[in-house]
Amino acid sequence: MRNLIFLIFLFDNLQVMSAQIPDSLLIMKFDSIAGIIYSPQSDPVKLAANDSILVMLTDFLSTPQSLTFPFDSLKFVKVVSSAGFDFRLITWTVPLSESRHSYYGFLQKISKGVVANVVELKDNGGIRNTDQSYACDNWPGAVYYRMIENKSGKVNIFTMFGWVGESSGKACRIIETLVFKENGEPVFGWPAFQTEQGNLQNRVIFEFTDQVPFHLAYEEQLLPGKRKKHGWMIVFSRLVGNDAALGRFFQAQIPSYDTFDALIFKKDHWQFFQDIDVRASGISSQNPQTSPKQGLFPENQDRKSPGKRD
């Protein structure tokens, strides 16, 4: 009850938040409430804190100050932006009891240096079919931490890496796509990924044990069938069987230490390639742009929860 009273008091005081408040004070206010989300509080208290954050961000993302606000300084969110700063995604998760997670986010559209629209992403409760598209009000929740841009005809395809919470002993990563219809409506999930069988699917989902590091990165590596030519690709550990005879039985598939596959964007979609040679040191990046040195998801390193920084 004390926490709820505190939240009501703090929220009432934040209603006067204006674009003139210094960024450092806003960071402190956002993180002070977000700290409750990642504390050992009950689910109702966490969700009440998150409701306050939702209202605050809904108002703040409509202001000019939000365009220059250092979101990377906030401990509870991840932000990915298009190269032309036409839009950005702000996402986070609320860890709940029994290893459950709720996902929250906003899509902020920007036009000529002005906030054009702010759309809230509504978590659909964990439905992430690999062959289905979703609207913002039926969003397959995740915390996005990388964005790659490609073009398929007249369609710009934005490919994101996402963190998804799992039960104890398991971890999950997703490669999601975002496109915009002619009327500007955003759609999550585009048939852009070629499977090992040659079919196209809308997203890629990796489920694996959290006891072994999983490699997922956008990096420059030696192209398949080429001796010296390198190219940019999504490289990931191959998930292998789980055999108790090996000495330990994990709760999910195991990321291989020495076998990697890749997705390379060719002919309007991501084509699947097996057995990528990563012996040479590859260059890892985001767009390719310089990746942040700090964050919730350091490159090539698995994390159980996105609620804390390294």
Side-chain angles (χ1 to χ4, degrees):
M1 181 60 71
R2 288 183 178 178
N3 286 300
L4 289 174
I5 293 174
F6 166 75
L7 284 172
I8 294 171
F9 172 78
L10 183 58
F11 177 70
D12 287 342
N13 281 275
L14 287 172
Q15 295 306 297
V16 299
M17 185 170 66
S18 70
Q20 303 303 315
I21 295 180
D23 288 346
S24 58
L25 181 57
L26 289 178
I27 292 169
M28 182 181 66
K29 289 182 175 181
F30 277 122
D31 279 343
S32 65
I33 298 180
I36 298 174
I37 293 174
Y38 298 101
S39 67
Q41 298 287 345
S42 65
D43 290 354
V45 171
K46 291 182 178 182
L47 293 173
N50 190 68
D51 286 343
S52 296
I53 289 176
L54 282 171
V55 175
M56 291 163 55
L57 280 175
T58 299
D59 293 338
F60 181 64
L61 289 173
S62 299
T63 67
Q65 184 181 0
S66 69
L67 297 177
T68 57
F69 181 76
F71 278 97
D72 287 346
S73 299
L74 295 178
K75 298 177 181 178
F76 72 100
V77 300
K78 289 298 291 184
V79 179
V80 292
S81 305
S82 62
F85 203 55
D86 307 299
F87 76 93
R88 56 182 172 180
L89 293 165
I90 299 99
T91 54
W92 72 96
T93 184
V94 177
L96 302 173
S97 58
E98 300 178 354
S99 299
R100 295 176 297 122
H101 287 79
S102 288
Y103 300 91
Y104 301 88
F106 290 93
L107 190 157
Q108 184 188 47
K109 298 191 73 173
I110 303 159
S111 177
K112 299 179 180 180
V114 177
V115 178
N117 194 20
V118 178
V119 181
E120 183 179 349
L121 306 178
K122 302 290 185 67
D123 184 6
N124 67 13
I127 301 174
R128 303 179 185 90
N129 295 328
T130 57
D131 59 353
Q132 190 169 344
S133 298
Y134 300 92
C136 290
D137 60 358
N138 190 33
W139 171 54
V143 180
Y144 303 125
Y145 59 98
R146 291 287 184 274
M147 180 181 288
I148 307 161
E149 299 184 27
N150 297 102
K151 199 172 187 65
S152 175
K154 296 182 179 180
V155 178
N156 291 315
I157 301 177
F158 301 92
T159 304
M160 290 92 65
F161 295 171
W163 181 97
V164 176
E166 277 282 1
S167 58
S168 178
K170 298 180 180 180
C172 181
R173 293 291 178 273
I174 185 170
I175 308 178
E176 180 64 271
T177 50
L178 171 66
V179 299
F180 291 89
K181 295 182 179 180
E182 291 185 4
N183 62 2
E185 179 184 351
V187 175
F188 290 89
W190 184 261
F193 301 101
Q194 181 189 58
T195 67
E196 192 172 349
Q197 293 73 33
N199 303 317
L200 289 179
Q201 63 185 46
N202 293 36
R203 60 185 50 80
V204 181
I205 301 174
F206 302 98
E207 295 179 339
F208 50 95
T209 175
D210 65 0
Q211 302 300 305
V212 179
F214 178 70
H215 181 96
L216 173 63
Y218 184 57
E219 56 193 28
E220 189 174 26
Q221 293 288 357
L222 190 67
L223 291 169
K226 307 291 183 180
R227 292 186 177 182
K228 296 183 179 180
K229 190 174 181 180
H230 289 70
W232 289 92
M233 62 189 75
I234 298 174
V235 180
F236 48 90
S237 304
R238 183 178 300 174
L239 299 180
V240 298
N242 195 351
D243 189 353
L246 296 176
R248 183 175 181 183
F249 189 79
F250 296 95
Q251 295 188 35
Q253 287 189 294
I254 306 168
S256 172
Y257 282 103
D258 55 6
T259 307
F260 300 89
D261 300 324
L263 292 165
I264 302 175
F265 199 86
K266 289 185 174 184
K267 298 180 180 179
D268 299 340
H269 64 276
W270 291 100
Q271 295 185 15
F272 176 81
F273 290 88
Q274 286 186 320
D275 300 318
I276 296 298
D277 184 359
V278 297
R279 290 176 297 177
S281 57
I283 302 173
S284 181
S285 188
Q286 181 173 349
N287 265 337
Q289 298 171 352
T290 302
S291 298
K293 295 182 180 179
Q294 296 181 347
L296 304 182
F297 303 97
E299 193 79 59
N300 310 335
Q301 191 170 357
D302 181 53
R303 283 290 179 269
K304 293 184 180 181
S305 172
K308 297 181 179 180
R309 286 182 179 273
D310 285 343

